């Protein structure tokens, strides 16, 4: 990527998104709101869903199936809950049922029958699909420089990969054969992937191309273009389209290949970064993640200092969802390509959608309690319906600036 002079500020373009590309072409790109991605419930609710499931697991793990609120009242920060934990629990009556405890009239919480049934279904699906889900973690480890990741980083990725929060403890107690726990130079412990020298690991993009060729992995071309999905109303200038065509015709370096010989400042290296982030998001349950949560992978996956700029440079590949002071990056392909993609649906996705449905039901319960109206029956399609909580474009742009400041200059 060749940089030219420092850009002048423009009143109608975000200074954070003034980008410069190869061949000394000045390119200005403005973030474009996409209502389709802004109204996908599983993505919109992901930030709230994580602490909800963590609290569900704490209650389900208790021998009595119930806990006093004092057990979790001091854990708001570790659970990433803004406000009081008790208020969070009461916000979801379709999942958590409050009652008076046996001593001192303290509030206790247990799971509703719907939540209990869904928890059992979740455990059943995980056990049935364990090899496929664990393989996603293995692929993440294989993308690292030394095919090993520190345990602290792996722990932070378990939620996105659809693995239980206590998976590493299980792995240490009962090794699966996929990994080894090894010591690292800095005194930390790491998770190392067991690799078969004869194994060829293909990325989602390579599997896409291979499916079209109907051939073997040896027949894959060196130039692989990314599938592009323009947002409605997003138009690129002609010089940007020309640059994008040239970018698509660059050599593709798989995230699982050795990249030590690549020039970090080259365009091929940038295409590798796009490929790494494309493959990374394809491994996650809903193919999205909070952007700040990916920073810990920068060194391990060989990403540049400002790799987050890639999400802004390629709006046809990624979408930035800006809501609730959070910047979430979404991979467009699984949501737009239909059956024409090799990205497999995560086994836990349907389960999390059902939890989102219970979250929506909780909102209706609370509304009906205030108004005295009876509950309405929900269909299974409700979980995939739209939600009426999207921010305005002006609000989102302000959040974009806030998110950029947190990422550093």
């Amino acid at each position: 990527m060749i940089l030219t002079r420092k850009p002048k500020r423009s009143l109608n373009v975000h200074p954070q998104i003034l980008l410069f590309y190869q061949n000394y072409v000045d390119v200005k790109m403005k973030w474009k709101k996409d209502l389709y991605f802004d109204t996908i419930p599983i993505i919109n609710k992901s930030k709230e869903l994580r602490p909800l499931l963590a609290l569900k697991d704490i209650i389900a793990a208790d021998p009595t199936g119930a806990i006093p609120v004092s057990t979790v009242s001091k854990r708001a920060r570790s659970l990433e809950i803004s406000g009081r934990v008790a208020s969070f629990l009461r916000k979801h009556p379709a999942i958590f049922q409050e009652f008076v405890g046996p001593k001192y009239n303290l509030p206790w919480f247990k799971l509703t029958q719907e939540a209990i049934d869904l928890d059992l279904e979740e455990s059943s699906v995980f056990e049935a699909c364990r090899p496929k889900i664990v393989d996603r973690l293995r692929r993440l480890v294989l993308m690292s420089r030394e095919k090993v990741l520190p345990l602290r980083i792996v722990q932070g990725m378990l939620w996105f990969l659809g693995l239980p929060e206590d998976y590493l403890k299980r792995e240490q107690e009962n090794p699966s054969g996929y990994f080894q726990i090894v010591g690292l130079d800095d005194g930390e412990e790491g998770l190392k992937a067991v690799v078969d020298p004869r194994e060829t690991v293909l990325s989602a993009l390579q599997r896409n191309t291979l499916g079209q060729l109907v051939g073997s992995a040896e027949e894959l071309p060196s130039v692989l273009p990314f599938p592009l999905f323009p947002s409605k109303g997003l138009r690129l200038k002609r010089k940007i389209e020309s640059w994008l065509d040239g970018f698509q015709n660059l050599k593709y370096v798989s995230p699982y290949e050795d990249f030590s010989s690549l020039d970090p400042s080259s365009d091929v290296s940038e295409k590798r970064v796009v490929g790494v982030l494309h493959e990374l998001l394809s491994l996650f349950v809903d193919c999205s993640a909070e952007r700040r949560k990916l920073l810990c992978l920068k060194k391990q996956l060989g990403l540049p200092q400002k790799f987050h700029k890639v999400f802004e440079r390629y709006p046809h590949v990624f979408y930035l969802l800006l809501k609730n002071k959070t910047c979430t990056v979404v991979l467009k392909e699984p949501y737009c390509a239909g059956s024409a993609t090799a990205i497999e649906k995560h086994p836990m996705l349907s389960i999390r959608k059902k939890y989102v449905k219970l979250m929506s039901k909780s909102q209706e319960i609370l509304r009906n309690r205030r108004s005295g109206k009876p509950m309405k029956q929900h269909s299974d399609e409700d979980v995939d319906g739209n939600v009426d909580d999207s921010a305005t474009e002006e609000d989102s742009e302000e959040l974009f600036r806030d998110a950029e400041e947190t990422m550093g200059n």
Side-chain angles (χ1 to χ4, degrees):
M1 191 64 63
I2 302 177
L3 302 180
T4 61
R5 65 187 181 279
K6 183 177 180 181
K8 296 181 180 180
R9 288 183 177 269
S10 175
L11 294 178
N12 61 344
V13 180
H14 292 297
Q16 295 95 334
I17 318 177
L18 291 173
L19 307 172
F20 294 87
Y21 294 89
Q22 60 183 6
N23 300 326
Y24 295 92
V25 176
D26 292 352
V27 177
K28 299 179 181 179
M29 297 186 66
K30 185 176 180 179
W31 173 82
K32 177 68 177 178
K33 185 180 181 66
D34 190 324
L35 289 177
Y36 171 70
F37 289 101
D38 284 354
T39 54
I40 298 177
I42 187 64
I43 298 177
N44 276 274
K45 300 293 186 180
S46 60
K47 185 176 181 180
E48 189 175 355
L49 182 61
R50 184 172 186 176
L52 184 145
L53 294 188
L55 288 168
K56 182 268 299 180
D57 290 337
I58 292 173
I59 296 175
D62 192 278
T64 64
I67 61 169
V69 70
S70 58
T71 302
V72 291
S73 60
K74 303 296 185 182
R75 299 177 60 178
R77 185 173 181 178
S78 62
L79 292 170
E80 298 186 1
I81 295 175
S82 58
R84 298 169 62 237
V85 176
S87 299
F88 183 88
L89 290 165
R90 293 179 179 124
K91 185 181 176 182
H92 302 94
I95 302 168
F96 306 109
Q97 181 179 345
E98 183 178 0
F99 64 99
V100 178
K103 293 182 179 181
Y104 311 115
N105 293 328
L106 293 176
W108 281 53
F109 289 89
K110 63 181 180 180
L111 300 180
T112 63
Q113 190 57 49
E114 283 185 283
I116 292 173
D117 294 340
L118 188 50
D119 178 62
L120 293 174
E121 183 181 353
E122 180 182 4
S123 300
S124 176
V125 170
F126 176 75
E127 291 302 326
C129 303
R130 178 191 290 265
K132 290 184 179 180
I133 300 175
V134 173
D135 185 62
R136 293 174 181 254
L137 172 58
R138 181 172 175 269
R139 285 176 170 272
L140 171 59
V141 177
L142 288 176
M143 282 195 286
S144 62
R145 292 178 181 272
E146 306 296 335
K147 314 305 179 189
V148 58
L149 285 177
L151 292 185
R152 57 178 174 81
I153 291 181
V154 175
Q155 183 64 43
M157 293 292 109
L158 294 180
W159 160 259
F160 301 107
L161 295 166
L163 288 162
E165 295 290 343
D166 63 345
Y167 175 76
L168 291 179
K169 182 178 179 181
R170 299 184 192 181
E171 181 65 29
Q172 289 174 316
E173 294 175 351
N174 302 292
S176 62
Y178 289 95
F179 309 103
Q180 295 175 346
I181 305 297
V182 298
L184 304 179
D185 294 338
D186 55 4
E188 286 189 276
E189 287 188 321
L191 193 69
K192 183 175 183 179
V194 176
V195 182
D196 184 348
R198 298 167 295 178
E199 179 184 13
T200 301
V201 182
L202 300 179
S203 67
L205 186 58
Q206 289 174 317
R207 297 197 302 274
N208 275 342
T209 306
L210 195 59
Q212 298 170 3
L213 294 176
V214 192
S216 61
E218 289 75 15
E219 299 175 6
L220 281 170
S222 60
V223 176
L224 298 181
F226 290 98
L228 304 179
F229 304 94
S231 293
K232 186 177 180 180
L234 179 61
R235 299 290 183 268
L236 301 182
K237 294 182 179 180
R238 184 174 300 174
K239 59 183 178 181
I240 304 179
E241 291 181 344
S242 299
W243 166 81
L244 188 58
D245 290 339
F247 174 83
Q248 291 280 55
N249 290 321
L250 293 172
K251 177 184 177 182
Y252 173 76
V253 179
S254 169
Y256 304 105
E257 292 181 28
D258 178 38
F259 57 91
S260 57
S261 61
L262 284 181
D263 179 1
S265 62
S266 67
D267 295 316
V268 173
S269 182
E270 173 154 332
K271 186 169 183 178
R272 174 195 168 268
V273 173
V274 177
V276 168
L277 297 173
H278 180 281
E279 181 71 6
L280 176 65
L281 292 171
S282 74
L283 299 176
F284 293 167
V285 176
D286 56 8
C287 298
S288 72
E290 284 187 58
R291 189 172 60 174
R292 65 185 180 89
K293 298 289 188 179
L294 304 179
L295 293 177
C296 63
L297 294 168
K298 179 170 57 180
K299 177 181 178 182
Q300 309 299 330
L301 301 187
L303 302 175
Q305 180 67 24
K306 296 185 178 181
F307 75 89
H308 59 278
K309 292 290 185 182
V310 167
F311 299 133
E312 302 155 19
R313 278 200 283 268
Y314 301 93
H316 291 359
V317 180
F318 310 103
Y319 178 70
L320 292 176
L321 176 64
L322 310 170
K323 188 174 293 186
N324 300 325
K325 297 184 179 179
T326 301
C327 182
T328 301
V329 58
V330 185
L331 180 63
K332 285 188 168 184
E333 183 176 340
Y335 293 95
C336 301
S339 60
T341 177
I343 298 177
E344 298 180 1
K345 179 181 176 181
H346 198 291
M348 303 304 294
L349 180 60
S350 60
I351 298 296
R352 290 192 180 177
K353 284 184 176 181
K354 291 182 180 180
Y355 281 112
V356 171
K357 179 182 176 182
L358 288 182
M359 293 169 69
S360 299
K361 183 177 179 180
S362 295
Q363 294 176 357
E364 185 172 350
I365 291 174
L366 294 176
R367 285 196 300 267
N368 291 335
R369 283 179 181 175
R370 290 191 293 266
S371 64
K373 295 180 180 180
M375 277 288 298
K376 295 180 180 179
Q377 295 297 321
H378 292 263
S379 66
D380 289 340
E381 295 179 356
D382 291 343
V383 70
D384 293 317
N386 292 341
V387 292
D388 188 21
D389 61 351
S390 58
T392 64
E393 186 160 353
E394 291 77 10
D395 292 338
S396 297
E397 290 177 354
E398 183 178 353
L399 292 176
F400 189 96
R401 291 192 292 271
D402 293 340
E404 281 298 311
E405 291 176 0
T406 63
M407 299 293 294
N409 296 325

